[in-house]
């Protein structure tokens, strides 16, 4: 069965303390891996798409990387406004198999 | 800016009422989705649609139905609302292919 597991469930950082969030997956035939940010009471907001192992994407303090079994979201020198839940999702194929499979998210809190 | 618009941010309904949640996208996307999101359970797929008048069951379709009469609009219907349907409901859309989803802002439904 295709699965996506995110760790840790929650992460507390001090402002400026860099860290990484993990998304591991066991799927047959990865077509794409997606990272989203979700603020409380709002819908997820798209951050990155990664399609192949070795690929990296960056946006401000965030950098996403992909290997054959997992993805990391690196947060460099985070600020309080980076506090949110970060969701990872994978896409494995066409038709209904092309639907995204979501992890349960990592809730990040950044304290000033 | 492209958008997925959900008709209500907050709704309070009584047990047994018929509830309509509306979602409209302006991106000419083929695919549309309804999820519910609950603490600890993550995003769970209720129904999805790949084309006008087409619908497919997701992981938790019981107690729900959907309607897609126009490409841009996807409605979720709770035939007889129950308290265990109290949740955050998220609509999303996507292009056919290996692309991520664009989410709406969500509807927080409370059934009393």
């Amino acid at each position: 069965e295709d699965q996506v597991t995110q760790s840790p469930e929650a992460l507390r950082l001090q402002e400026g303390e860099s860290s990484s969030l993990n998304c591991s997956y066991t799927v047959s035939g990865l077509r794409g891996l997606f990272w989203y940010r979700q603020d409380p009471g709002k819908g997820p907001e798209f951050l990155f798409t990664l399609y192949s192992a070795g690929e990296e994407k960056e946006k401000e303090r965030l950098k996403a990387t992909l290997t054959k079994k997992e993805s990391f979201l690196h947060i460099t020198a985070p600020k309080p406004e980076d506090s949110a839940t970060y969701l990872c999702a994978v896409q494995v194929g066409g038709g209904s198999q092309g639907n995204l499979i979501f992890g349960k998210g990592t809730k990040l809190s950044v304290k000033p | 800016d492209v958008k997925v618009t959900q008709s209500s941010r907050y709704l309070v309904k009584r047990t047994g009422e018929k509830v309509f949640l509306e979602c409209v996208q302006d991106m000419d996307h083929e695919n549309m989705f309804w999820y519910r999101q609950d603490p600890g359970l993550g995003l769970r797929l209720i129904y999805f649609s790949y084309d006008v008048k087409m619908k497919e069951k997701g992981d938790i379709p019981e107690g729900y139905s959907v309607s897609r009469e126009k490409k841009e609009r996807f409605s979720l219907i709770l035939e007889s609302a129950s308290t265990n349907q109290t949740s955050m409901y998220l609509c999303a859309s996507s292009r056919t292919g290996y692309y991520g989803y664009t989410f709406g802002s969500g509807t927080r439904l409370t059934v009393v």
Side-chain angles (χ1 to χ4, degrees):
Chain A
E1 183 183 345
D2 297 327
Q3 272 195 326
V4 177
T5 304
Q6 292 188 245
S7 61
E9 290 185 16
L11 180 62
R12 287 187 163 191
L13 299 174
Q14 288 297 126
E15 185 172 2
E17 180 186 2
S18 301
S19 189
S20 295
L21 283 54
N22 178 261
C23 172
S24 63
Y25 57 90
T26 52
V27 299
S28 50
L30 180 73
R31 294 289 185 263
L33 186 140
F34 304 86
W35 282 99
Y36 289 85
R37 170 193 170 124
Q38 186 175 23
D39 293 305
K42 297 188 177 180
E45 178 185 340
F46 171 78
L47 291 173
F48 302 110
T49 307
L50 301 166
Y51 288 109
S52 57
E55 190 174 358
E56 298 182 351
K57 294 273 180 73
E58 284 189 69
K59 180 180 179 180
E60 296 180 357
R61 294 176 294 281
L62 300 177
K63 180 179 177 180
T65 62
L66 180 64
T67 72
K68 288 188 176 180
K69 292 189 175 181
E70 59 192 346
S71 176
F72 293 94
L73 185 65
H74 306 277
I75 303 176
T76 302
K79 297 182 177 181
E81 54 261 42
D82 293 322
S83 297
T85 295
Y86 291 85
L87 298 171
C88 167
V90 300
Q91 192 169 32
V92 296
S96 61
Q97 293 178 317
N99 292 348
L100 296 187
I101 302 167
F102 284 87
K104 292 184 177 179
T106 293
K107 184 176 182 180
L108 173 66
S109 299
V110 182
K111 302 299 181 184
Chain B
D1 195 16
V2 293
K3 276 187 178 178
V4 176
T5 302
Q6 294 186 230
S7 54
S8 304
R9 291 297 307 275
Y10 301 95
L11 274 179
V12 179
K13 297 292 182 180
R14 294 194 178 277
T15 301
E17 277 193 76
K18 191 169 186 176
V19 181
F20 294 85
L21 302 183
E22 306 287 345
C23 175
V24 178
Q25 51 98 358
D26 65 0
M27 296 166 282
D28 200 35
H29 283 173
E30 295 84 12
N31 311 318
M32 296 188 76
F33 307 84
W34 275 107
Y35 286 87
R36 64 177 284 176
Q37 187 175 34
D38 301 286
L41 297 178
L43 286 162
R44 291 183 290 168
L45 183 62
I46 304 171
Y47 268 98
F48 58 101
S49 169
Y50 288 142
D51 202 350
V52 176
K53 297 191 185 294
M54 290 183 63
K55 59 185 179 183
E56 293 197 38
K57 293 179 180 180
D59 300 319
I60 52 162
E62 296 78 19
Y64 304 94
S65 62
V66 291
S67 172
R68 193 170 181 198
E69 296 297 318
K70 294 185 178 182
K71 188 175 185 180
E72 67 270 19
R73 187 180 295 269
F74 192 36
S75 302
L76 179 70
I77 303 155
L78 286 65
E79 297 291 342
S80 177
S82 64
T83 55
N84 62 12
Q85 293 178 310
T86 291
S87 186
M88 167 71 100
Y89 288 88
L90 291 163
C91 175
S93 71
S94 75
R95 286 193 287 163
T96 296
Y98 305 118
Y99 306 100
Y101 298 172
T102 300
F103 283 88
S105 296
T107 295
R108 172 72 66 184
L109 173 67
T110 301
V111 182
V112 297

